[in-house]
Amino acid sequence: MDVAVDLVVLAVRSDDLNILLVQRRKAPFKGQWALPGGGVKRTEDLVDAARRELQEETGIRHAQLDQRGIYATPGRDPRGHVISVTWLALLPDLTLPTAGSDAKAACWRPVRDAAPLAFDHDEIVRDSLEHVRGRLEHTPMAVDLCVVEFTITELRTVYEAVWNTQLDRRNFHRRALRIPGFLDRTDRYRIGSTGAPAPLYTRGNADTLHPPLLRPRRPSPRSNPTPDGQGPKP
């Protein structure tokens, strides 16, 4: 029995939720797209293996990795019984991947266009997405998908991208700012091509959101954002 690591790395790019994928250079599933990952060396800790594989296959060196789950269904890997320990990373849209090692190519791809993937990676992605969608309701996890200083509009865009729904602008603004410890306002502003300068925020000191930011019970279809660099102002 062998042990491997697989990584679900997410970012919001062009107001859309994207996932980091690699094109396999070798069999099995040669030429198909998959999650970054690979085997764990005998002298390696799991998280060290995950960091190594992410760097070797995509060129990304710095990412906060959180262990997500274990996938061990017999037959998930045609080479034998391989247990996969999965890891989750959320990144701001600042990083361009570079293929290396046994990856023929590496790229960001909208989550909705990711499947089908090699191995059981579609299942891993589905489980990870549902985990992230739930965590956004109760924790400040959405801030991990923003740059260090962000506007309320940019934060709302993250929630809309992850939840795949359109949120009421004013209602979201009001709810987010009323949660104790969620956001800290800076004395700086983002100046866009239209509208008034928007105040910038950073992550507060809260680990959980009370009250939570719950997903809409009846999701609204998302509209195409206006290409003004910032979207509508709160």
Side-chain angles (χ1 to χ4, degrees), residues 2-130:
D2 295 319
V3 179
V5 291
D6 290 302
L7 297 105
V8 178
V9 184
L10 302 172
V12 175
R13 298 169 57 85
S14 301
D15 298 342
D16 208 352
L17 185 63
N18 278 239
I19 188 167
L20 184 61
L21 300 178
V22 297
Q23 188 177 29
R24 291 184 56 81
R25 189 186 298 274
K26 303 176 182 178
F29 303 105
K30 180 179 179 180
Q32 294 190 32
W33 292 92
L35 297 173
V40 178
K41 297 178 181 179
R42 294 185 180 276
T43 58
E44 244 178 349
D45 186 85
L46 287 171
V47 68
D48 291 335
R51 292 192 184 106
R52 174 182 55 77
E53 287 290 344
L54 182 61
Q55 179 180 340
E56 287 180 355
E57 294 196 343
T58 71
I60 295 177
R61 295 174 177 271
H62 304 291
Q64 177 64 44
L65 302 180
D66 294 316
Q67 188 174 327
R68 268 293 305 124
I70 297 175
Y71 292 78
T73 302
R76 62 174 301 276
D77 190 319
R79 293 168 294 189
H81 195 180
V82 179
I83 295 176
S84 174
V85 181
T86 62
W87 299 81
L88 174 68
L90 306 181
L91 299 178
D93 182 15
L94 296 173
T95 307
L96 293 177
T98 303
S101 183
D102 58 351
K104 184 178 180 181
C107 71
W108 292 104
R109 182 177 294 179
V111 167
R112 65 175 180 272
D113 299 328
L117 299 176
F119 303 100
D120 55 354
H121 290 182
D122 290 326
E123 178 185 359
I124 294 173
V125 171
R126 285 194 300 268
D127 293 346
S128 298
L129 287 177
E130 189 54 38

